[in-house]
Amino acid sequence: GTGSNILSALQDLFWLSKSKVEKQLQIISVLQWVLTFLVMGIACTLILMYILCTDCWAIAALYLAWLVFDWNTPKKGGRRSQWVRNWAIWRYFRDYFPIRLVKTHNLLTTRNYIFGYHPHGIMGLGAFCNFSTEATGVSQKFPGIRPYLATLAGNFRMPILRDYLMSGGICPVNRDSIDYILSKNGSGNAIVIVVGGAAESLNCTPGRNSVTLRNRKGFVKLALRHGADLVPVYSFGENEVYKQVIFEEGSWGRWVQKKFQKHIGFAPCIFHGRGLFSSNTWGLLPYSKPITTVVGEPITIPKIDNPSQKEVDFYHSIYVDSLIKLFDKYKSKFGLPETEVLEVN
Protein backbone atom coordinates (compact mmCIF):
# COMPACT_ATOMS: atom_id res chain seq x y z
CA GLY A 1 0.00 0.00 0.00
CA THR A 2 0.91 3.66 0.30
CA GLY A 3 2.67 3.11 3.63
CA SER A 4 4.94 0.45 2.14
CA ASN A 5 5.81 2.72 -0.79
CA ILE A 6 6.73 5.58 1.55
CA LEU A 7 8.85 3.26 3.70
CA SER A 8 10.63 1.92 0.62
CA ALA A 9 11.33 5.46 -0.62
CA LEU A 10 12.72 6.45 2.79
CA GLN A 11 14.97 3.39 2.83
CA ASP A 12 16.29 4.24 -0.65
CA LEU A 13 16.96 7.80 0.49
CA PHE A 14 18.78 6.55 3.62
CA TRP A 15 21.08 4.26 1.67
CA LEU A 16 21.76 6.95 -0.92
CA SER A 17 22.76 9.37 1.83
CA LYS A 18 24.96 6.79 3.50
CA SER A 19 26.71 6.08 0.22
CA LYS A 20 27.35 9.79 -0.35
CA VAL A 21 28.67 10.26 3.18
CA GLU A 22 31.05 7.32 2.78
CA LYS A 23 32.30 8.71 -0.53
CA GLN A 24 32.99 12.10 1.07
CA LEU A 25 34.83 10.42 3.95
CA GLN A 26 36.95 8.53 1.43
CA ILE A 27 37.84 11.78 -0.34
CA ILE A 28 38.73 13.49 2.96
CA SER A 29 40.90 10.58 4.05
CA VAL A 30 42.90 10.64 0.81
CA LEU A 31 43.14 14.44 0.76
CA GLN A 32 44.65 14.56 4.26
CA TRP A 33 47.35 12.09 3.21
CA VAL A 34 48.15 13.99 0.00
CA LEU A 35 48.51 17.22 1.99
CA THR A 36 50.64 15.39 4.55
CA PHE A 37 52.89 14.09 1.78
CA LEU A 38 53.25 17.48 0.09
CA VAL A 39 53.19 20.19 2.77
CA MET A 40 52.96 18.90 6.35
CA GLY A 41 56.70 18.94 7.03
CA ILE A 42 57.24 22.49 5.80
CA ALA A 43 54.01 23.74 7.40
CA CYS A 44 54.89 22.30 10.83
CA THR A 45 58.41 23.77 10.64
CA LEU A 46 57.05 27.25 9.85
CA ILE A 47 54.41 27.03 12.59
CA LEU A 48 57.04 25.99 15.14
CA MET A 49 59.25 28.93 14.13
CA TYR A 50 56.28 31.29 14.43
CA ILE A 51 55.37 30.02 17.92
CA LEU A 52 58.95 30.66 19.03
CA CYS A 53 58.34 34.35 18.28
CA THR A 54 55.12 34.57 20.32
CA ASP A 55 54.22 34.50 24.00
CA CYS A 56 53.83 30.73 23.69
CA TRP A 57 57.51 30.28 22.87
CA ALA A 58 57.95 27.93 25.85
CA ILE A 59 55.77 25.29 24.17
CA ALA A 60 57.93 25.34 21.05
CA ALA A 61 61.10 25.32 23.17
CA LEU A 62 59.92 22.24 25.07
CA TYR A 63 59.16 20.44 21.82
CA LEU A 64 62.57 21.33 20.40
CA ALA A 65 64.23 20.01 23.56
CA TRP A 66 62.27 16.77 23.14
CA LEU A 67 63.27 16.67 19.47
CA VAL A 68 66.97 16.81 20.39
CA PHE A 69 66.52 14.08 23.00
CA ASP A 70 64.50 11.90 20.57
CA TRP A 71 66.60 12.60 17.46
CA ASN A 72 67.93 9.05 16.95
CA THR A 73 64.66 7.20 17.54
CA PRO A 74 63.84 6.90 13.81
CA LYS A 75 67.18 5.11 13.32
CA LYS A 76 66.24 2.56 15.99
CA GLY A 77 63.01 1.21 14.59
CA GLY A 78 60.91 4.27 15.32
CA ARG A 79 57.87 4.35 17.55
CA ARG A 80 54.97 2.59 15.87
CA SER A 81 51.44 2.84 17.22
CA GLN A 82 48.92 0.08 16.56
CA TRP A 83 46.21 2.57 17.48
CA VAL A 84 47.25 4.92 14.67
CA ARG A 85 47.75 2.04 12.21
CA ASN A 86 44.16 0.92 12.91
CA TRP A 87 42.48 4.31 12.49
CA ALA A 88 39.16 4.08 10.63
CA ILE A 89 40.37 6.81 8.26
CA TRP A 90 42.74 4.32 6.63
CA ARG A 91 39.85 2.03 5.75
CA TYR A 92 38.18 4.92 3.94
CA PHE A 93 41.55 5.61 2.28
CA ARG A 94 41.67 1.95 1.13
CA ASP A 95 38.12 1.98 -0.24
CA TYR A 96 38.58 5.18 -2.26
CA PHE A 97 40.68 3.39 -4.91
CA PRO A 98 40.23 0.53 -3.69
CA ILE A 99 43.56 -0.95 -2.55
CA ARG A 100 44.10 -4.70 -2.04
CA LEU A 101 46.97 -6.75 -0.64
CA VAL A 102 47.50 -10.20 -2.17
CA LYS A 103 49.53 -12.83 -0.32
CA THR A 104 51.11 -15.58 -2.43
CA HIS A 105 53.38 -17.32 0.13
CA ASN A 106 53.78 -17.62 3.87
CA LEU A 107 56.64 -15.81 5.61
CA LEU A 108 58.55 -17.38 8.49
CA THR A 109 58.70 -15.34 11.70
CA THR A 110 62.20 -16.73 12.31
CA ARG A 111 63.55 -14.78 9.32
CA ASN A 112 63.97 -11.11 8.44
CA TYR A 113 62.98 -9.74 5.05
CA ILE A 114 63.57 -6.92 2.61
CA PHE A 115 60.54 -6.26 0.42
CA GLY A 116 61.36 -4.60 -2.90
CA TYR A 117 58.31 -2.50 -3.76
CA HIS A 118 57.62 -1.62 -7.42
CA PRO A 119 56.71 0.75 -8.98
CA HIS A 120 57.15 3.98 -7.03
CA GLY A 121 54.30 5.87 -8.67
CA ILE A 122 53.96 9.53 -7.69
CA MET A 123 53.35 9.01 -3.97
CA GLY A 124 53.63 5.27 -3.32
CA LEU A 125 49.99 5.11 -2.21
CA GLY A 126 49.84 1.32 -2.28
CA ALA A 127 53.02 0.99 -0.26
CA PHE A 128 51.70 3.33 2.42
CA CYS A 129 48.22 1.82 2.71
CA ASN A 130 49.37 -1.80 2.72
CA PHE A 131 52.41 -1.59 4.98
CA SER A 132 51.98 1.52 7.17
CA THR A 133 48.36 0.89 8.11
CA GLU A 134 46.27 -2.16 8.91
CA ALA A 135 43.59 -1.25 6.38
CA THR A 136 44.34 -4.22 4.10
CA GLY A 137 45.11 -6.63 6.94
CA VAL A 138 48.87 -7.04 6.59
CA SER A 139 49.21 -8.32 10.18
CA GLN A 140 46.49 -10.91 9.63
CA LYS A 141 47.87 -12.07 6.29
CA PHE A 142 51.45 -12.22 7.57
CA PRO A 143 51.11 -12.99 11.31
CA GLY A 144 54.21 -12.25 13.35
CA ILE A 145 55.76 -10.05 10.64
CA ARG A 146 56.41 -6.35 11.43
CA PRO A 147 56.54 -4.22 8.25
CA TYR A 148 58.64 -1.03 8.16
CA LEU A 149 58.14 1.21 5.15
CA ALA A 150 61.40 3.03 4.40
CA THR A 151 61.29 6.61 3.11
CA LEU A 152 63.56 9.64 2.73
CA ALA A 153 65.60 10.36 5.86
CA GLY A 154 64.95 14.09 5.40
CA ASN A 155 61.32 13.58 6.39
CA PHE A 156 62.46 12.68 9.91
CA ARG A 157 64.12 16.07 10.37
CA MET A 158 60.71 17.76 10.10
CA PRO A 159 58.94 18.44 13.43
CA ILE A 160 55.61 16.69 14.03
CA LEU A 161 55.80 14.97 10.62
CA ARG A 162 58.52 12.67 11.93
CA ASP A 163 56.31 11.52 14.81
CA TYR A 164 53.33 11.03 12.52
CA LEU A 165 55.39 8.88 10.15
CA MET A 166 56.94 6.82 12.93
CA SER A 167 53.51 6.03 14.36
CA GLY A 168 52.73 4.12 11.17
CA GLY A 169 55.96 2.10 11.29
CA ILE A 170 57.78 4.23 8.72
CA CYS A 171 61.57 4.49 9.03
CA PRO A 172 64.43 6.29 7.23
CA VAL A 173 65.80 4.54 4.17
CA ASN A 174 69.43 4.72 5.29
CA ARG A 175 72.00 2.15 6.32
CA ASP A 176 71.91 2.93 10.06
CA SER A 177 68.18 2.42 10.32
CA ILE A 178 68.09 -0.73 8.20
CA ASP A 179 71.11 -2.24 9.97
CA TYR A 180 69.46 -1.68 13.35
CA ILE A 181 66.14 -3.26 12.38
CA LEU A 182 67.74 -6.28 10.73
CA SER A 183 70.39 -6.94 13.39
CA LYS A 184 69.15 -5.61 16.74
CA ASN A 185 65.39 -5.93 16.56
CA GLY A 186 64.99 -9.69 16.60
CA SER A 187 63.35 -11.62 13.74
CA GLY A 188 60.08 -11.22 11.88
CA ASN A 189 60.97 -7.78 10.52
CA ALA A 190 60.19 -6.77 6.93
CA ILE A 191 61.68 -3.56 5.58
CA VAL A 192 59.77 -2.29 2.56
CA ILE A 193 62.08 -0.40 0.19
CA VAL A 194 60.68 1.38 -2.87
CA VAL A 195 63.72 0.40 -4.90
CA GLY A 196 63.23 2.70 -7.90
CA GLY A 197 62.95 5.80 -5.72
CA ALA A 198 62.77 9.29 -7.18
CA ALA A 199 64.30 8.23 -10.51
CA GLU A 200 61.46 5.80 -11.09
CA SER A 201 58.79 8.37 -10.21
CA LEU A 202 59.92 10.50 -13.17
CA ASN A 203 58.76 7.83 -15.61
CA CYS A 204 55.48 6.78 -14.05
CA THR A 205 52.45 7.41 -16.20
CA PRO A 206 49.15 5.58 -16.80
CA GLY A 207 49.47 2.59 -19.08
CA ARG A 208 53.19 2.12 -18.48
CA ASN A 209 54.71 -0.65 -16.37
CA SER A 210 58.32 0.38 -15.91
CA VAL A 211 60.74 -0.12 -13.02
CA THR A 212 64.19 1.31 -12.30
CA LEU A 213 66.14 -1.71 -11.12
CA ARG A 214 69.09 -2.72 -13.31
CA ASN A 215 71.65 -0.66 -11.39
CA ARG A 216 69.86 -0.66 -8.02
CA LYS A 217 71.83 -3.27 -6.06
CA GLY A 218 72.35 -1.70 -2.64
CA PHE A 219 69.29 -3.43 -1.18
CA VAL A 220 70.68 -6.81 -2.32
CA LYS A 221 74.00 -6.10 -0.61
CA LEU A 222 72.16 -5.20 2.61
CA ALA A 223 70.17 -8.44 2.39
CA LEU A 224 73.39 -10.46 2.03
CA ARG A 225 75.10 -8.69 4.94
CA HIS A 226 72.19 -9.55 7.24
CA GLY A 227 70.98 -12.80 5.70
CA ALA A 228 67.56 -11.22 5.10
CA ASP A 229 65.38 -12.88 2.48
CA LEU A 230 64.37 -10.77 -0.53
CA VAL A 231 60.70 -10.53 -1.47
CA PRO A 232 59.58 -8.96 -4.79
CA VAL A 233 56.39 -6.89 -4.53
CA TYR A 234 54.49 -5.43 -7.48
CA SER A 235 51.56 -3.00 -7.28
CA PHE A 236 49.30 -3.19 -10.29
CA GLY A 237 47.61 0.18 -10.79
CA GLU A 238 50.11 2.32 -8.84
CA ASN A 239 50.95 4.27 -12.01
CA GLU A 240 47.31 4.79 -12.96
CA VAL A 241 46.21 7.17 -10.19
CA TYR A 242 48.02 10.31 -11.42
CA LYS A 243 48.85 11.78 -14.82
CA GLN A 244 52.31 13.30 -15.23
CA VAL A 245 54.17 15.47 -17.70
CA ILE A 246 57.13 13.31 -18.79
CA PHE A 247 60.24 15.25 -19.80
CA GLU A 248 62.47 13.54 -22.32
CA GLU A 249 66.09 12.74 -21.52
CA GLY A 250 68.28 15.73 -22.38
CA SER A 251 65.47 18.28 -21.97
CA TRP A 252 65.74 21.22 -19.57
CA GLY A 253 62.87 19.83 -17.50
CA ARG A 254 64.59 16.48 -16.94
CA TRP A 255 67.85 18.33 -16.13
CA VAL A 256 66.11 20.29 -13.36
CA GLN A 257 64.47 17.13 -11.99
CA LYS A 258 67.78 15.26 -11.88
CA LYS A 259 69.51 18.15 -10.10
CA PHE A 260 66.84 18.13 -7.40
CA GLN A 261 67.11 14.35 -7.14
CA LYS A 262 70.91 14.49 -6.75
CA HIS A 263 71.12 17.29 -4.19
CA ILE A 264 67.85 17.02 -2.24
CA GLY A 265 66.83 13.38 -2.63
CA PHE A 266 63.52 13.80 -4.42
CA ALA A 267 62.56 14.76 -7.95
CA PRO A 268 59.83 17.39 -8.47
CA CYS A 269 57.13 15.99 -10.75
CA ILE A 270 54.52 17.96 -12.68
CA PHE A 271 51.41 15.86 -12.17
CA HIS A 272 47.69 16.10 -11.61
CA GLY A 273 44.77 14.00 -10.53
CA ARG A 274 41.11 14.87 -10.20
CA GLY A 275 39.48 17.85 -8.52
CA LEU A 276 37.99 17.87 -5.04
CA PHE A 277 34.39 18.24 -6.21
CA SER A 278 34.47 16.63 -9.64
CA SER A 279 36.41 13.86 -11.34
CA ASN A 280 36.21 15.86 -14.57
CA THR A 281 38.44 18.67 -13.28
CA TRP A 282 42.14 18.76 -12.43
CA GLY A 283 43.36 18.69 -8.86
CA LEU A 284 45.59 16.98 -6.30
CA LEU A 285 43.30 14.06 -5.53
CA PRO A 286 44.39 10.81 -7.20
CA TYR A 287 41.99 9.15 -9.58
CA SER A 288 40.02 6.33 -7.98
CA LYS A 289 41.69 3.49 -9.85
CA PRO A 290 42.20 0.08 -8.19
CA ILE A 291 45.66 -0.71 -6.79
CA THR A 292 46.47 -4.37 -6.16
CA THR A 293 49.73 -5.12 -4.37
CA VAL A 294 51.03 -8.66 -4.84
CA VAL A 295 53.65 -9.95 -2.40
CA GLY A 296 55.73 -12.58 -4.15
CA GLU A 297 57.73 -15.61 -3.08
CA PRO A 298 60.69 -14.95 -0.74
CA ILE A 299 64.16 -15.59 -2.10
CA THR A 300 66.39 -17.27 0.47
CA ILE A 301 69.54 -15.21 1.00
CA PRO A 302 72.68 -16.44 2.83
CA LYS A 303 74.43 -14.26 5.39
CA ILE A 304 77.73 -12.95 3.99
CA ASP A 305 79.44 -10.23 6.03
CA ASN A 306 81.38 -8.83 3.08
CA PRO A 307 79.70 -9.96 -0.13
CA SER A 308 81.68 -9.64 -3.34
CA GLN A 309 80.32 -7.80 -6.36
CA LYS A 310 79.91 -11.14 -8.11
CA GLU A 311 77.71 -12.43 -5.27
CA VAL A 312 75.65 -9.23 -5.26
CA ASP A 313 75.17 -9.45 -9.03
CA PHE A 314 74.14 -13.11 -8.79
CA TYR A 315 71.37 -12.55 -6.25
CA HIS A 316 70.31 -9.33 -7.94
CA SER A 317 69.74 -11.25 -11.19
CA ILE A 318 67.66 -13.83 -9.31
CA TYR A 319 65.59 -11.00 -7.82
CA VAL A 320 65.00 -9.35 -11.22
CA ASP A 321 63.89 -12.67 -12.72
CA SER A 322 61.55 -13.28 -9.77
CA LEU A 323 59.96 -9.85 -10.15
CA ILE A 324 59.37 -10.39 -13.88
CA LYS A 325 57.84 -13.83 -13.23
CA LEU A 326 55.57 -12.31 -10.55
CA PHE A 327 54.42 -9.62 -12.97
CA ASP A 328 53.79 -12.09 -15.79
CA LYS A 329 51.86 -14.49 -13.54
CA TYR A 330 49.38 -11.91 -12.24
CA LYS A 331 49.15 -9.26 -14.99
CA SER A 332 46.12 -10.74 -16.74
CA LYS A 333 44.28 -11.16 -13.41
CA PHE A 334 44.48 -7.43 -12.79
CA GLY A 335 43.46 -5.97 -16.11
CA LEU A 336 46.61 -6.13 -18.24
CA PRO A 337 46.84 -8.00 -21.55
CA GLU A 338 48.97 -11.13 -21.83
CA THR A 339 51.21 -9.26 -24.24
CA GLU A 340 52.15 -6.62 -21.63
CA VAL A 341 55.88 -6.66 -20.80
CA LEU A 342 57.48 -5.27 -17.63
CA GLU A 343 60.10 -2.71 -18.64
CA VAL A 344 63.18 -3.05 -16.42
CA ASN A 345 65.58 -0.11 -16.66
Side-chain angles (χ1 to χ4, degrees):
T2 303
S4 298
N5 291 335
I6 293 174
L7 181 60
S8 177
L10 288 173
Q11 287 176 336
D12 290 342
L13 181 62
F14 171 76
W15 286 112
L16 180 63
S17 298
K18 182 179 179 182
S19 174
K20 286 183 176 180
V21 168
E22 286 187 346
K23 187 61 180 177
Q24 293 305 312
L25 288 173
Q26 291 170 11
I27 290 173
I28 291 169
S29 69
V30 174
L31 180 62
Q32 69 83 27
W33 171 246
V34 170
L35 293 177
T36 296
F37 183 90
L38 294 176
V39 302
M40 183 177 178
I42 295 173
C44 289
T45 301
L46 293 175
I47 291 171
L48 193 65
M49 292 172 63
Y50 171 76
I51 294 175
L52 279 171
C53 300
T54 69
D55 293 338
C56 298
W57 63 269
I59 296 174
L62 283 172
Y63 179 80
L64 287 173
W66 160 253
L67 193 62
V68 172
F69 174 79
D70 195 54
W71 190 253
N72 289 323
T73 298
K75 299 178 183 177
K76 298 180 179 179
R79 189 169 43 246
R80 74 172 55 218
S81 166
Q82 286 301 115
W83 175 65
V84 173
R85 287 175 60 89
N86 281 286
W87 277 355
I89 194 171
W90 307 131
R91 294 192 289 276
Y92 289 112
F93 183 99
R94 171 199 66 197
D95 293 339
Y96 172 85
F97 296 93
I99 296 174
R100 287 180 57 208
L101 180 66
V102 176
K103 170 186 175 180
T104 63
H105 291 79
N106 292 325
L107 298 181
L108 299 175
T109 58
T110 55
R111 300 285 291 173
N112 283 324
Y113 300 90
I114 293 180
F115 286 17
Y117 183 92
H118 313 269
H120 183 287
I122 294 293
M123 297 185 186
L125 295 165
F128 169 76
C129 184
N130 285 307
F131 301 113
S132 294
T133 81
E134 294 297 330
T136 56
V138 63
S139 293
Q140 286 72 45
K141 290 177 179 176
F142 299 103
I145 302 298
R146 294 180 297 277
Y148 294 86
L149 177 60
T151 189
L152 290 176
N155 289 324
F156 297 89
R157 302 186 187 105
M158 303 282 191
I160 308 302
L161 175 63
R162 67 190 293 276
D163 302 288
Y164 189 36
L165 295 178
M166 284 194 292
S167 67
I170 301 177
C171 68
V173 62
N174 58 33
R175 181 168 171 174
D176 289 343
S177 177
I178 295 173
D179 282 348
Y180 183 91
I181 293 171
L182 294 180
S183 64
K184 300 179 181 178
N185 203 41
S187 60
N189 302 292
I191 297 181
V192 184
I193 300 177
V194 186
V195 178
E200 191 171 85
S201 68
L202 298 178
N203 295 317
C204 71
T205 188
R208 184 177 183 181
N209 288 282
S210 170
V211 297
T212 301
L213 181 57
R214 290 292 181 198
N215 297 316
R216 298 296 176 105
K217 301 180 181 180
F219 72 106
V220 177
K221 189 172 184 178
L222 281 169
L224 286 165
R225 290 181 64 246
H226 294 284
D229 293 348
L230 289 171
V231 182
V233 180
Y234 197 86
S235 261
F236 295 90
E238 184 72 65
N239 285 346
E240 307 300 316
V241 296
Y242 279 111
K243 295 178 181 178
Q244 179 184 191
V245 176
I246 304 293
F247 293 101
E248 296 296 328
E249 290 292 340
S251 66
W252 67 269
R254 183 54 66 99
W255 180 84
V256 170
Q257 289 176 322
K258 286 188 173 180
K259 286 295 182 183
F260 266 85
Q261 179 189 337
K262 179 179 179 180
H263 296 292
I264 301 178
F266 74 92
C269 301
I270 299 178
F271 65 92
H272 74 83
R274 53 155 290 183
L276 183 59
F277 301 107
S278 171
S279 59
N280 296 320
T281 58
W282 287 11
L284 289 177
L285 278 176
Y287 294 105
S288 53
K289 303 287 187 179
I291 299 174
T292 306
T293 302
V294 184
V295 180
E297 182 178 4
I299 303 165
T300 303
I301 301 295
K303 188 177 187 304
I304 305 174
D305 291 334
N306 294 296
S308 66
Q309 189 59 51
K310 184 177 181 180
E311 290 167 326
V312 172
D313 291 344
F314 174 72
Y315 285 101
H316 180 267
S317 65
I318 293 176
Y319 178 86
V320 173
D321 289 343
S322 296
L323 178 65
I324 293 172
K325 288 177 182 177
L326 179 70
F327 178 84
D328 288 341
K329 182 177 180 180
Y330 289 94
K331 61 186 178 183
S332 61
K333 294 182 180 179
F334 303 119
L336 297 178
E338 282 290 347
T339 55
E340 184 72 16
V341 176
L342 179 62
E343 181 184 337
V344 181
N345 300 312

